[in-house]
Amino acid sequence: MKFFTDTADVDAIRELDDLGLVDGVTTNPSLVKKSGRDIIEVTKEICSFIDGPVSAEVLATEADTMIAEGRKLAEIAPNIAVKVPLTLDGLKACKVLSGEGHMVNVTLCFSATQALLAAKAGASFISPFIGRLDDMGIEGMELISDIRQIYDNYGFETEILAASIRTVNHAKEAALIGADVMTAPPAVIKAMAAHPLTDKGLDAFLSDASAAGLKIL
Ligand code: G3P
């Protein structure tokens, strides 16, 4: 499973990257707003040290302008994945941009039929939003399962990018189902390393090492 991190905070991306936990980055207009940076500038900086796909989202809602914005974003670096919303205009932009050889991430996916359309439009990634479905009392993870089955039924190569991952349990479930990628905030990825028994075990080892006067360096 590939790990993308869902943030436009460059320091947080660098910290995770140093841990070897960043296969790519996803951003959206809300995350760019939170960073306080210019969209082009911050995307350029992320691409200067991340080799994997970096998703940058268009701002237009009409296909021709989305395509123009997508082309401009794609000029930033060869690893840009242009993010377009799952609307009919977004699907049209996806078809054109993917036809030109650009990676396209179709975002704001909330149903399996939407995901089917994105695959047919040539998307490199489909981003189903788990947490936002859970927020409505709908089991978000079932959507990942449904899309997995549909894509496998027909051999679609579009990668399932589980998004709106809010908890370590979301990450585990998405991995069990076989999502190709998950994108999560840095804090969720770091929380995956935590276990109280690890802390307790380490305390005991350190205390025994100290009692025995053990030294390595
Ligand atoms: O990747 C999409 C993500 O940014 C949405 O997450 O937590 O705002 O639903 P959230």
Side-chain angles (χ1 to χ4, degrees):
M1 180 189 229
K2 284 176 266 190
F3 279 19
F4 290 178
T5 191
D6 198 30
T7 183
D9 178 337
V10 173
D11 291 340
I13 298 168
R14 281 190 193 279
E15 187 192 353
L16 266 188
D17 191 37
D18 288 344
L19 293 168
L21 296 176
V22 180
D23 300 310
V25 172
T26 51
T27 65
N28 62 39
S30 306
L31 292 170
V32 173
K33 174 175 179 262
K34 203 167 158 195
S35 76
R37 305 271 309 268
D38 171 75
I39 184 168
I40 302 290
E41 226 177 71
V42 76
T43 307
K44 212 176 265 179
E45 186 173 350
I46 295 168
C47 290
S48 71
F49 65 96
I50 294 294
D51 295 330
V54 173
S55 290
E57 189 159 342
V58 299
L59 304 174
T61 54
E62 177 271 319
D64 287 343
T65 319
M66 281 189 208
I67 293 164
E69 288 182 345
R71 286 176 181 146
K72 180 166 178 190
L73 290 169
E75 274 171 15
I76 293 174
N79 56 326
I80 286 288
V82 178
K83 217 170 173 190
V84 300
L86 213 156
T87 57
L88 291 175
D89 280 273
L91 291 171
K92 184 174 174 191
C94 175
K95 185 176 183 307
V96 171
L97 291 166
S98 60
E100 291 174 357
H102 303 302
M103 285 187 285
V104 180
N105 175 357
V106 180
T107 190
L108 290 167
C109 170
F110 294 95
S111 78
T113 48
Q114 287 182 316
L116 181 53
L117 295 183
K120 289 185 74 68
S124 304
F125 302 101
I126 182 68
S127 291
F129 277 32
I130 307 309
R132 292 191 192 184
L133 283 169
D134 285 358
D135 288 345
M136 297 181 68
I138 297 167
E139 184 51 66
M141 218 43 79
E142 278 177 17
L143 175 57
I144 301 290
S145 237
D146 288 349
I147 300 172
R148 181 74 284 155
Q149 183 171 341
I150 290 168
Y151 282 10
D152 289 350
N153 283 348
Y154 297 99
F156 284 119
E157 287 177 6
T158 301
E159 293 188 56
I160 301 174
L161 198 176
S164 189
I165 294 276
R166 309 252 182 87
T167 65
V168 295
N169 207 44
H170 277 157
K172 181 185 97 173
E173 293 294 323
L176 281 171
I177 292 165
D180 302 286
V181 192
M182 70 137 194
T183 190
V188 172
I189 295 176
K190 286 197 280 181
M192 290 170 75
H195 198 289
L197 290 179
T198 304
D199 296 341
K200 192 175 167 201
L202 184 57
D203 283 349
F205 289 157
L206 293 178
S207 135
D208 286 344
S210 160
L214 305 182
K215 280 202 176 7
I216 296 174
L217 294 176

